Amino acid sequence: MQNEVENFNVEAVNSGLKKKRPSLYAARKKIFPKRAYGSFRRLKWIIMAVTLSIYYLTPWLRWDRGSFAPDQAVLVDLANRRFYFFFIEIWPQEFYYVAGLLIMAGLGLFLITSVAGRVWCGYTCPQTVWVDLFLVVERFFEGDRNQRMALDKAPWTLSKIWKRVAKHSTWLVIAILTGGAWIFYFADAPTLLGQLVHFDAPSVAYSTIGILTATTYIFGGLMREQVCTYMCPWPRIQAAMLDENSLVVTYNDWRGEPRSRHQKKAIAQGLPVGDCVDCKACVAVCPMGIDIRQGQQLECITCALCIDACNGVMERVGRDRGLISYATLSDYNANMARAKDAEGHIVPSKVRDATGKLRDGFVHFRWREMVRLRTLIYLGIWLLIGLLMVASLATRDRLGAAVAHDRNPLYVRLSDGSIRNGYTLKISNMVTVPRDFSVSISGLTGATLELPGVVMRDDRSVVLRAEPDRVLTQRVLVIAPTEALAEPRHEFTFVISDVNGGERTTIDAVFEAPEDVAR
């Protein structure tokens, strides 16, 4: 007897012989964000103006450090391995200050995200700032949302070609200026500009401008929201930073549902009606093209333009502002519980009274929710690192020294029987004026100094001049009589001190001698 065989309703993914296989790539749907008006949009304009001004103008600021140091306020001097930031100068061995700044930046991002979600993404991220700038250019040449959509569908005419060429040309100019501004941080800006104009600049300068021009134009003008959705890792990390008391842009469906585009007719018919008129103004202004009414989404950058759009609509229909607002999950859940009936349905009459006013008891934004243990811990660590860095900067020495023993030979026996060791001494003069340093030795009885090519005042110490903001490298010979050497290895100290100041540093060294030196 043959067993019954179950048939499965399934189709192979590669069954392309009978019909066309589905595409694995979904084409991008163009987004035409409408210009928003309101307090958050004004805040974004201010932040965009400030951040762009800082980026483009900072390399041109001057800071007088004297005649021996560059006068550019902010400069990453790769040739001399220095970082200048106004009155602060960072040497390579002080890179831990840069590491501290990066740690503070990371903790600051954690703090801001735990308080108010992705406000960094929505207001100060370079991708957001340049996309906003490119949208300003696009609206200038092509109009607002409806005009741009119509132009996109229109056939190619002289008018359309002119608008597109003007828009993309302006984008390219902005992109070139962006790449150009970046390289000015790594060389004297006026000098490098002259070299660029006369085509005398290093090839790396032109290649850097080309790369940054391409990335700015492509990311800010062509890809836009795709960078945030597919390339940026932060949307996938931010969930770990949020908790039930984090402020995020929220559609308050406890007062918005049920939606109705014809509220007056629905009310006349006795139907339950929420505040949302389903105008989709929030979707029209969203630079990511999402509908915030569907809840928190990976694409949302918390720019709050949907709040501005919705507030404008609420004012026109005579409703309270805040249908879309910054809210915490805990407050949202409390309001939802108050607005629902026993079966879990939102009841508008539980939200508003007979006069249309919101009933008491619903929770709105409270500043004290921002202050909680988690944010205090982030803030405390952030401040602690900052204070430690400031204290370290204020008390750091501006004199550095290092010594290296000759590797071959370790020692030389002189004709009189004494032993000579060779060393390479490096003295870092970390200020912008020349300084004289006294070099002497301690802990090696009877030892004398000898510096090839240097006229010495005595055989126990010598004065060396170090150029400003430079490292002085000097060959040093230490000679010790055999009677002063009780063992093959003897520890002693180089002492370096500023002749005209109070700075002083010591370096431990080892004097090598033959095994039979004590016999």
Side-chain angles (χ1 to χ4, degrees):
M1 182 177 177
Q2 187 177 6
N3 295 329
E4 293 184 1
V5 178
E6 181 181 2
N7 292 322
F8 297 93
N9 184 19
V10 64
E11 184 176 358
V13 296
N14 60 350
S15 57
L17 298 178
K18 295 184 179 180
K19 65 179 182 178
K20 184 179 178 181
R21 293 183 62 182
S23 173
L24 297 179
Y25 171 75
R28 174 188 179 234
K29 295 181 180 179
K30 288 187 177 181
I31 298 174
F32 301 89
K34 180 180 174 59
R35 180 172 179 176
Y37 299 89
S39 56
F40 290 106
R41 178 64 266 184
R42 287 192 295 272
L43 178 60
K44 281 176 66 68
W45 288 133
I46 294 172
I47 293 176
M48 183 179 76
V50 171
T51 52
L52 289 176
S53 297
I54 291 174
Y55 177 75
Y56 288 117
L57 299 179
T58 296
W60 302 95
L61 299 178
R62 302 292 99 182
W63 188 269
D64 185 14
R65 299 185 181 91
S67 57
F68 298 99
D71 64 348
Q72 187 162 310
V74 179
L75 175 64
V76 182
D77 189 355
L78 296 179
N80 296 303
R81 296 183 296 175
R82 302 286 188 279
F83 171 57
Y84 298 96
F85 184 81
F86 294 93
F87 61 91
I88 299 173
E89 178 184 355
I90 303 297
W91 282 53
Q93 63 268 30
E94 297 176 320
F95 191 79
Y96 51 83
Y97 288 115
V98 179
L101 288 176
L102 293 176
I103 294 173
M104 289 184 67
L107 286 172
L109 187 58
F110 295 164
L111 171 62
I112 292 173
T113 303
S114 65
V115 170
R118 290 174 63 188
V119 290
W120 157 262
C121 301
Y123 293 89
T124 53
C125 175
Q127 173 67 13
T128 297
V129 172
W130 264 275
V131 167
D132 267 359
L133 180 59
F134 278 30
L135 281 173
V136 171
V137 174
E138 185 172 273
R139 292 191 186 102
F140 178 80
F141 289 108
E142 299 182 359
D144 207 354
R145 183 172 185 272
N146 292 338
Q147 290 84 356
R148 300 203 308 276
M149 292 176 65
L151 182 68
D152 193 64
K153 296 178 181 178
W156 286 95
T157 61
L158 288 177
S159 176
K160 181 174 180 177
I161 292 174
W162 178 87
K163 291 178 180 179
R164 289 292 167 87
V165 170
K167 178 183 73 173
H168 286 276
S169 298
T170 307
W171 283 357
L172 281 173
V173 170
I174 295 173
I176 293 172
L177 292 175
T178 301
W182 177 254
I183 65 172
F184 290 146
Y185 284 89
F186 297 86
D188 182 67
T191 303
L192 182 56
L193 179 61
Q195 293 175 341
L196 289 171
V197 172
H198 295 94
F199 300 100
D200 294 330
S203 58
V204 66
Y206 294 104
S207 60
T208 302
I209 292 176
I211 293 172
L212 292 179
T213 296
T215 53
T216 304
Y217 174 76
I218 294 172
F219 292 168
L222 304 181
M223 295 184 66
R224 294 184 181 175
E225 78 287 345
Q226 291 181 300
V227 174
C228 303
T229 303
Y230 301 110
M231 297 177 62
C232 181
W234 189 240
R236 291 140 183 95
I237 299 174
Q238 66 156 343
M241 300 293 103
L242 300 176
D243 57 31
E244 65 277 5
N245 292 311
S246 298
L247 286 168
V248 292
V249 175
T250 305
Y251 167 63
N252 296 306
D253 49 0
W254 52 268
R255 58 167 279 198
E257 302 295 326
R259 307 172 195 172
S260 175
R261 293 189 178 184
H262 308 285
Q263 287 189 343
K264 293 183 178 179
K265 292 182 179 179
I267 293 173
Q269 296 173 4
L271 299 175
V273 175
D275 287 355
C276 181
V277 296
D278 202 18
C279 63
K280 296 184 179 179
C282 54
V283 182
V285 300
C286 180
M288 303 299 293
I290 63 173
D291 189 345
I292 192 62
R293 297 174 300 176
Q294 296 177 3
Q296 276 295 302
Q297 297 154 71
L298 176 145
E299 296 85 357
C300 180
I301 60 173
T302 318
C303 65
L305 295 182
C306 53
I307 297 178
D308 284 339
C310 187
N311 284 342
V313 173
M314 290 296 101
E315 289 177 352
R316 287 194 293 272
V317 299
R319 294 288 188 177
D320 298 289
R321 295 159 60 97
L323 176 57
I324 301 177
S325 65
Y326 274 102
T328 66
L329 179 61
S330 59
D331 290 346
Y332 171 83
N333 289 335
N335 291 337
M336 283 292 288
R338 180 176 290 273
K340 287 182 178 180
D341 59 15
E343 298 179 354
H345 299 120
I346 297 175
V347 181
S349 60
K350 296 173 69 69
V351 178
R352 295 187 178 275
D353 57 23
T355 63
K357 294 181 60 177
L358 286 173
R359 296 185 182 275
D360 296 333
F362 287 98
V363 183
H364 301 283
F365 171 67
R366 295 165 294 178
W367 284 101
R368 63 177 178 272
E369 293 181 339
M370 300 172 63
V371 181
R372 54 190 190 276
L373 180 61
R374 183 176 187 173
T375 57
L376 290 176
I377 291 175
Y378 285 143
L379 181 61
I381 298 175
W382 187 85
L383 289 175
L384 178 61
I385 295 174
L387 290 173
L388 289 175
M389 289 181 60
V390 170
S392 177
L393 280 169
T395 58
R396 63 178 178 165
D397 293 331
R398 297 288 77 200
L399 166 62
V403 67
H405 195 290
D406 287 355
R407 300 175 66 90
N408 188 23
L410 289 176
Y411 59 87
V412 173
R413 189 188 292 273
L414 301 181
S415 58
D416 62 355
S418 59
I419 307 300
R420 185 182 71 191
N421 280 202
Y423 303 86
T424 299
L425 178 65
K426 292 186 177 182
I427 301 175
S428 300
N429 178 19
M430 304 168 71
V431 297
T432 56
V433 294
R435 289 199 289 178
D436 293 328
F437 295 101
S438 171
V439 179
S440 60
I441 56 175
S442 174
L444 192 58
T445 305
T448 60
L449 286 175
E450 185 177 303
L451 278 66
V454 177
V455 178
M456 301 182 59
R457 298 176 183 175
D458 57 64
D459 58 5
R460 297 288 298 176
S461 66
V462 64
V463 175
L464 301 175
R465 166 153 289 203
E467 294 301 315
D469 204 36
R470 290 291 183 269
V471 177
L472 170 66
T473 302
Q474 179 62 52
R475 171 86 169 151
V476 179
L477 303 177
V478 179
I479 303 170
T482 53
E483 57 269 17
L485 303 173
E487 52 188 22
R489 291 172 58 87
H490 196 94
E491 295 183 354
F492 71 103
T493 304
F494 281 96
V495 180
I496 299 98
S497 58
D498 186 352
V499 174
N500 300 313
E503 281 193 284
R504 180 177 180 274
T505 187
T506 60
I507 314 169
D508 294 331
V510 174
F511 190 90
E512 301 281 356
E515 292 289 339
D516 59 351
V517 66
R519 298 177 185 176

